[in-house]
Amino acid sequence: MESRCENCIIRQFNSLRAMSKEELKHVSDSKITKTIKKGEPLFEEGDKLNGVYCVRNGISKLSKLSSNGKDQIVKLATKGEVLGQRSVIAEESTNLSAIAVQDMEVCFIPKESITNTLQKNPNFTLEVLRHMAHDLKEADDVIVNISQKTVKQRIAEAFLYLKNNFGEDEDGFLALTLSREDISNVVGTATESAIRIISEFKKKGLIHTSGKKIGIKDERKLMEMVEGF
Amino acid sequence: MESRCENCIIRQFNSLRAMSKEELKHVSDSKITKTIKKGEPLFEEGDKLNGVYCVRNGISKLSKLSSNGKDQIVKLATKGEVLGQRSVIAEESTNLSAIAVQDMEVCFIPKESITNTLQKNPNFTLEVLRHMAHDLKEADDVIVNISQKTVKQRIAEAFLYLKNNFGEDEDGFLALTLSREDISNVVGTATESAIRIISEFKKKGLIHTSGKKIGIKDERKLMEMVEGF
DNA sequence: TCCCAAACCTGACAATTGTCATAGAATCCC
DNA sequence: GGGATTCTATGACAATTGTCAGGTTTGGGA
């Protein structure tokens, strides 16, 4: 049974909520629901997208390959976020790859539905604009963090970010489990460095681990570390 | 004599060109032209802006203070760019400071003119959106560069950027002269490191200097350096 | 279940980068 | 024009981070 956008709660969290009933109906009629397994790409850097992806479930990393062969993760996108908007709007091929770090359920929405609405419904356009303004601010913050904080501080911050944005499971581990490599790609460092610092945090009692899973033990100390104590 | 927006060539370079005649007239009637001297701020991080600034002349750095007391320069804005859009649109206080690195002439446009048009003129909104999409892409690139390239590579890249975006003067020096500190704040490193690398580039014959002025001598080698050779 | 590849971890070392100290050069302002 | 202040430059050193080279553990598939 295919569900309708009109009834999709996810919509409440993104700019689609500014669409009119008819516009939404059109989107719903043209959308395609897809399942993406962990590790599979939604799209890759350089692809020309002919639509956007609305995330219903799961989490995707948005990353960019640098000339030294390492991926930099620029953002982690979850339920409710719309991916690929930037390139559809700018009519450019995408500058980022989107790869699932958990199994995902997404709706593909052909770009016509989006671009038509952008041209006709100022409320929708404004809503998209507000979202993009927010993303831009976040990107500025990332720039400052990455250039002015030590790797240790950035890793501490990443853990707090993961807790605040994706929560914890019943055992107190971060709900989103990333590989050490992904963690190092989020903070922009070598995998070995990330692993070493994780070990150090564990020894100091700031976190505890179980396999890949990481749990925060001393949030206050992590916060102090981020601030530079 | 106060000039009118309708006749301002600068407008051709930014989203204001998507405004209708009446809208533009309204903007022109409400705008205030200001002169900002080198080193003076247009606005500072945390300010609530009640308008945007359209740059007619000169160059401004957009920077953000990090917790360790250093500024990170996120963008250099020149003739034709509109500053403060992001915070006016998101209705938040600004996350960046804008400080003139050259004497500037700017037009202050009260936010009402902007927000009204945003709500009524989808073409304008879409144009602004496209600009912001572009800025977001640039921000992503900065993130990748800063986290994956060495300081040396980033400085080489910064020089090429300055040449491509602001040009050279008649003697072959970069038209935009930044202090060593500003350069280090662009690439996200310590001032001493920047100075040292500039000296090294000079010794290797990649650049030449005269006081604060820097000229590019071997563009090819700089480009190779950026790519990692 | 067992095996293999991938992921994780650790040590040793080198390279990069930041910090502190100091000194000369340029610039501003009275 | 001269003194103060800011900017530039360099050395010495320490801290951080990356790289290489191994090991161990883990997890998924035959």
Side-chain angles (χ1 to χ4, degrees):
Chain A
M1 193 210 67
E2 189 81 354
S3 58
R4 305 279 310 166
C5 294
E6 293 91 320
N7 307 320
C8 180
I9 341 167
I10 295 308
R11 181 169 62 86
Q12 295 309 318
F13 301 121
N14 64 39
S15 31
L16 296 185
R17 70 170 168 222
M19 281 193 170
S20 70
K21 253 192 176 157
E22 298 89 81
E23 286 162 348
L24 210 54
K25 184 172 180 311
H26 184 253
V27 166
S28 200
D29 289 341
S30 59
K31 78 161 202 289
I32 302 166
T33 304
K34 288 186 182 179
T35 306
I36 317 282
K37 290 218 191 81
K38 179 176 170 173
E40 287 177 359
L42 273 160
F43 51 81
E44 306 217 53
E45 201 176 331
D47 284 359
K48 269 202 250 169
L49 302 185
N50 33 34
V52 300
Y53 296 84
C54 177
V55 180
R56 293 189 57 180
N57 241 311
I59 296 170
S60 168
K61 60 177 173 183
L62 295 174
S63 65
K64 186 162 161 41
L65 201 63
S66 82
S67 51
N68 68 5
K70 279 187 191 160
D71 263 334
Q72 173 67 35
I73 297 179
V74 163
K75 186 178 163 71
L76 292 164
T78 181
K79 187 187 299 188
E81 303 210 46
V82 178
L83 307 181
Q85 279 193 105
R86 206 205 61 76
S87 30
V88 164
I89 288 165
E91 291 165 351
E92 300 167 340
S93 47
T94 149
N95 59 325
L96 301 173
S97 297
I99 296 173
V101 292
Q102 285 182 351
D103 290 354
M104 299 182 76
E105 204 183 327
V106 301
C107 293
F108 173 81
I109 304 171
K111 68 175 167 194
E112 287 72 27
S113 312
I114 302 292
T115 48
N116 281 339
T117 312
L118 279 175
Q119 274 154 22
K120 287 176 195 153
N121 181 345
N123 280 334
F124 176 68
T125 315
L126 193 51
E127 196 61 33
V128 174
L129 185 55
R130 289 219 178 92
H131 270 272
M132 203 159 291
H134 175 77
D135 282 351
L136 186 55
K137 180 180 185 175
E138 280 199 338
D140 287 341
D141 289 341
V142 171
I143 292 173
V144 175
N145 274 333
I146 236 169
S147 78
Q148 306 285 10
K149 290 188 175 152
T150 65
V151 174
K152 215 174 284 184
Q153 289 176 304
R154 270 138 58 199
I155 290 186
E157 188 160 48
F159 288 156
L160 295 173
Y161 173 85
L162 291 176
K163 177 174 172 185
N164 292 333
N165 285 272
F166 305 104
E168 297 177 322
D169 64 18
E170 56 279 4
D171 303 321
F173 291 107
L174 294 172
L176 174 56
T177 302
L178 292 175
S179 71
R180 302 295 192 254
E181 189 180 2
D182 278 341
I183 293 175
S184 71
N185 288 345
V186 166
V187 302
T189 189
T191 307
E192 295 94 325
S193 297
I195 289 175
R196 244 181 274 275
I197 288 168
I198 291 170
S199 301
E200 188 189 325
F201 282 6
K202 202 159 48 169
K203 269 184 208 137
K204 285 190 184 162
L206 305 176
I207 60 173
H208 57 120
T209 66
S210 163
K212 301 192 192 219
K213 284 186 292 183
I214 290 174
I216 291 179
K217 265 172 83 179
D218 194 336
E219 187 160 357
R220 173 177 302 270
K221 278 221 182 102
L222 282 176
M223 284 167 61
E224 286 173 4
M225 176 170 286
V226 173
E227 293 309 318
F229 298 114
Chain B
M1 194 209 70
E2 188 83 353
S3 58
R4 305 279 311 165
C5 295
E6 293 92 319
N7 307 321
C8 179
I9 341 165
I10 295 308
R11 182 169 63 87
Q12 295 308 319
F13 301 122
N14 64 39
S15 29
L16 295 185
R17 70 172 168 222
M19 280 194 172
S20 71
K21 255 194 176 157
E22 299 90 79
E23 285 161 348
L24 211 52
K25 183 171 181 310
H26 185 253
V27 165
S28 200
D29 290 340
S30 60
K31 78 159 200 289
I32 303 167
T33 304
K34 290 186 182 179
T35 306
I36 316 282
K37 289 216 192 84
K38 179 175 172 176
E40 287 177 357
L42 274 159
F43 51 80
E44 306 218 52
E45 201 177 333
D47 284 358
K48 268 200 250 170
L49 302 184
N50 32 36
V52 301
Y53 296 85
C54 178
V55 180
R56 293 189 58 181
N57 241 311
I59 297 169
S60 168
K61 60 178 173 182
L62 294 173
S63 65
K64 187 163 159 41
L65 200 63
S66 82
S67 52
N68 67 7
K70 279 188 191 158
D71 263 334
Q72 173 66 37
I73 297 178
V74 164
K75 186 176 164 72
L76 292 165
T78 181
K79 191 186 297 189
E81 302 210 47
V82 179
L83 307 182
Q85 278 194 107
R86 206 205 61 77
S87 28
V88 164
I89 289 163
E91 294 166 348
E92 299 166 342
S93 47
T94 151
N95 59 324
L96 301 172
S97 297
I99 296 172
V101 292
Q102 284 181 351
D103 290 353
M104 300 182 76
E105 204 183 328
V106 301
C107 292
F108 174 80
I109 304 172
K111 68 175 165 191
E112 286 73 27
S113 313
I114 303 292
T115 48
N116 281 339
T117 312
L118 280 175
Q119 274 154 23
K120 289 177 194 152
N121 182 344
N123 280 335
F124 176 68
T125 316
L126 193 49
E127 196 62 32
V128 174
L129 185 54
R130 289 217 177 93
H131 270 272
M132 202 159 294
H134 176 76
D135 282 350
L136 186 55
K137 180 180 184 175
E138 280 199 339
D140 287 341
D141 289 341
V142 171
I143 291 172
V144 175
N145 274 334
I146 237 172
S147 78
Q148 305 285 9
K149 290 190 173 149
T150 65
V151 174
K152 214 173 285 186
Q153 288 176 303
R154 270 138 58 199
I155 289 185
E157 187 159 48
F159 289 155
L160 296 172
Y161 173 85
L162 291 177
K163 177 176 173 183
N164 292 333
N165 285 272
F166 305 103
E168 296 176 325
D169 64 18
E170 57 278 6
D171 303 321
F173 291 106
L174 294 172
L176 173 56
T177 302
L178 292 175
S179 71
R180 304 294 193 251
E181 188 180 0
D182 278 342
I183 293 175
S184 71
N185 288 344
V186 167
V187 301
T189 189
T191 307
E192 295 94 326
S193 297
I195 289 175
R196 244 181 275 274
I197 289 168
I198 290 171
S199 301
E200 188 189 325
F201 283 5
K202 201 160 44 171
K203 269 185 209 135
K204 285 190 185 160
L206 304 176
I207 60 174
H208 56 121
T209 66
S210 163
K212 300 190 193 223
K213 285 188 291 185
I214 290 174
I216 291 179
K217 264 172 84 178
D218 194 335
E219 187 160 357
R220 174 177 301 270
K221 278 223 181 101
L222 282 176
M223 283 167 60
E224 285 174 4
M225 178 170 285
V226 172
E227 293 309 319
F229 298 113

